[in-house]
Amino acid sequence: MNNLILLVVVLSLIASTSCFAESPTLNVRDFGAQGDGVKKDTAAIQKALDVCAAGGGGTVWVPAGQYLTGSLVLPANIALKLDVRATLTGSPDLTDYPLVNVRWEGEFCPGHRALISATDATNIAISGGTIVGPPLALRKLRNPRGPVLIELTGCTNVLLDGFTTKFQQLWSIHTLFCNALIGRNLNIQSEYANGDGIDVDSCDGVTIEHCEIHAGDDAIALKSGRGLAAQNLLRPTQNVVIRDCHLESSIFAALGLGSEMSGGIRNVKIQNCVIAGRQNAIFIKSREGRGGFIENISGENIAVLESPTFIGIDLINKGIQAHDPVPGDVDKWPLVQNIRFKNIQVQNVAKLVVGTNIPATRALKGFMLANITGTCSHAISIANMTDVDFSHIGVSGFVGSLVSATNVQGGGLDDSARN
């Protein structure tokens, strides 16, 4: 994201949060919420949100307590603020989550509305407290999809700040077609397959900072739909900054790019992060029929601890095939270019880089690694790349060659990469 775009995003969010500070604050208890963890407080909380919105917006305050609730809809110009001792817990009743149209795994389909949702809302915020998903039986639903924890669609000027989530086997936070979004000081706890932390889907201008994410699947996933319809829609995820975060995944990757990326992913920076856990640190993934592009991905000042792979790239085998795959011998493959990482420290990483599943008919263009230090069991294996630039690769402890390359052009493909 260039500095001007970032300045506009920050100023707009400051303006929206200062507006909340000057606006009325409504207490959900005044609308009948009990907060006893037994009686459903859905109607009372929703009424507080709607009355606040009808009055021009403001803050809806959730004091300490255990609030059992079904799906809530966040209107424009509303800050939903939870006391640090307040918990929203999803109702166990499926009827409390109406069916709506959602984008799930890259395509639109029926799905149950999220515990907290917003559509086409501007100037919204969620902060404080703890948000716990509905029981496992609802989370495991796939046809139609069960309710995710938080789902924001078409929203602008969004602040997610300082809350904790507890969820499993479904995405925790899904943002689709959103602009100017900040997620900060979040503690996201998720488990098992499909248990992504934050899924950024066809969004523009996103900052994720100072977050602790322990996810079953991707801690942060960047997506933009799958198939020809998503490519023609051309709503990329772009201008994303991820910084000062601690990210862990127990199943796939701390940061996953794709595999649903037919609308494109570009201009992504990850900075000053610690990545640890049993799975990949950075994984770029796709398959034939996706088309689209992934470009201008950079990272610096990252520590990778005890992970199987620092960077994995698989553009051939990852993801579900779209119902309308992108055709063509070359165009069916994603265009991936300008991947740059520097100042990286790895500790006990099994494989530094694995990037051999790349189609020869659409080689990856531009892959730079510089100032990589630490220990790994195996170093760099790549294929079908051009404009490679490796320098100051100072890792130790690996067996075999520093770089194993097939059909690769560029510099630093031998021991010169150490310099």
Side-chain angles (χ1 to χ4, degrees):
M1 182 189 307
N2 64 45
N3 291 335
L4 179 60
I5 294 174
L6 179 59
L7 179 61
V8 171
V9 170
V10 171
L11 289 176
S12 64
L13 285 166
I14 290 173
S16 65
T17 53
S18 63
C19 177
F20 294 142
E22 297 170 359
S23 300
T25 297
L26 303 185
N27 189 325
V28 297
R29 296 286 183 123
D30 294 334
F31 292 83
Q34 299 297 306
D36 59 7
V38 177
K39 177 183 176 294
K40 288 183 186 177
D41 289 318
T42 315
I45 298 173
Q46 189 63 59
K47 186 175 181 181
L49 293 167
D50 293 341
V51 169
C52 193
T59 299
V60 171
W61 170 247
V62 182
Q66 303 286 329
Y67 298 84
L68 182 65
T69 178
S71 179
L72 300 169
V73 177
L74 195 62
N77 302 312
I78 295 294
L80 178 62
K81 187 173 183 179
L82 281 67
D83 183 273
V84 67
R85 297 162 297 169
T87 300
L88 296 181
T89 300
S91 159
D93 298 324
L94 188 60
T95 54
D96 288 333
Y97 307 90
L99 280 174
V100 294
N101 195 40
V102 301
R103 184 147 83 174
W104 166 247
E105 301 287 13
E107 294 184 338
F108 288 98
C109 62
H112 292 278
R113 201 170 68 196
L115 181 62
I116 301 175
S117 74
T119 302
D120 299 331
T122 58
N123 302 327
I124 59 174
I126 304 170
S127 65
T130 301
I131 304 171
V132 180
L136 183 59
L138 274 63
R139 303 173 193 174
K140 293 172 70 174
L141 296 175
R142 292 296 180 268
N143 188 23
R145 188 208 70 184
V148 303
L149 206 57
I150 297 172
E151 193 157 45
L152 310 176
T153 303
C155 297
T156 301
N157 292 345
V158 177
L159 177 62
L160 305 176
D161 186 15
F163 57 78
T164 295
T165 70
K166 296 180 181 180
F167 208 41
Q168 61 179 334
Q169 288 196 277
L170 201 56
W171 299 350
S172 293
I173 300 173
H174 180 210
T175 64
L176 173 65
F177 300 151
C178 291
N179 297 293
L181 182 147
I182 290 179
R184 68 187 184 202
N185 305 317
L186 303 176
N187 186 339
I188 299 175
Q189 304 291 327
S190 186
E191 297 177 353
Y192 306 117
N194 286 132
D196 291 2
I198 303 176
D199 286 70
V200 179
D201 195 350
S202 292
C203 295
D204 189 353
V206 175
T207 298
I208 300 172
E209 59 187 2
H210 304 291
C211 293
E212 183 94 9
I213 305 177
H214 297 258
D217 217 314
D218 294 338
I220 298 174
L222 307 183
K223 303 172 177 286
S224 62
R226 61 183 168 108
L228 190 60
Q231 179 173 268
N232 291 340
L233 186 62
L234 195 60
R235 292 288 298 269
T237 280
Q238 60 185 358
N239 304 320
V240 177
V241 176
I242 301 165
R243 61 190 176 207
D244 302 304
C245 292
H246 185 117
L247 307 176
E248 293 190 17
S249 167
S250 61
I251 293 180
F252 201 78
L255 173 61
L257 295 97
S259 71
E260 297 83 42
M261 42 63 61
S262 298
I265 299 171
R266 66 185 169 205
N267 304 340
V268 177
K269 295 182 179 180
I270 177 169
Q271 304 167 320
N272 308 321
C273 290
V274 174
I275 295 174
R278 291 170 286 172
Q279 294 303 320
N280 306 287
I282 314 291
F283 208 100
I284 299 171
K285 48 186 174 175
S286 187
R287 61 164 299 148
E288 66 173 316
R290 287 287 193 265
F293 57 85
I294 298 176
E295 61 187 15
N296 305 332
I297 312 299
S298 66
E300 61 181 326
N301 302 327
I302 300 170
V304 181
L305 313 177
E306 308 287 344
S307 292
T309 307
F310 164 42
I311 296 179
I313 305 172
D314 187 341
L315 307 181
I316 294 178
N317 294 320
K318 294 299 181 182
I320 304 166
Q321 183 59 283
H323 289 97
D324 58 341
V326 176
D329 293 335
V330 176
D331 293 343
K332 67 181 179 181
W333 301 110
L335 174 63
V336 180
Q337 57 188 355
N338 195 20
I339 311 299
R340 305 171 63 86
F341 284 84
K342 64 181 182 180
N343 302 334
I344 309 298
Q345 183 177 12
V346 298
Q347 177 181 308
N348 297 333
V349 169
K351 298 177 181 179
L352 189 66
V353 176
V354 179
T356 55
N357 280 345
I358 296 169
T361 53
R362 179 155 269 182
L364 188 153
K365 301 179 180 179
F367 185 30
M368 187 276 280
L369 297 176
N371 300 327
I372 315 295
T373 60
T375 57
C376 60
S377 301
H378 301 273
I380 300 171
S381 298
I382 54 176
N384 301 324
M385 296 185 182
T386 64
D387 302 321
V388 169
D389 182 8
F390 295 160
S391 64
H392 302 286
I393 311 296
V395 293
S396 62
F398 60 89
V399 297
S401 302
L402 176 65
V403 180
S404 175
T406 302
N407 191 31
V408 174
Q409 301 174 10
L413 300 177
D414 50 28
D415 282 344
S416 66
R418 295 180 179 277
N419 301 318

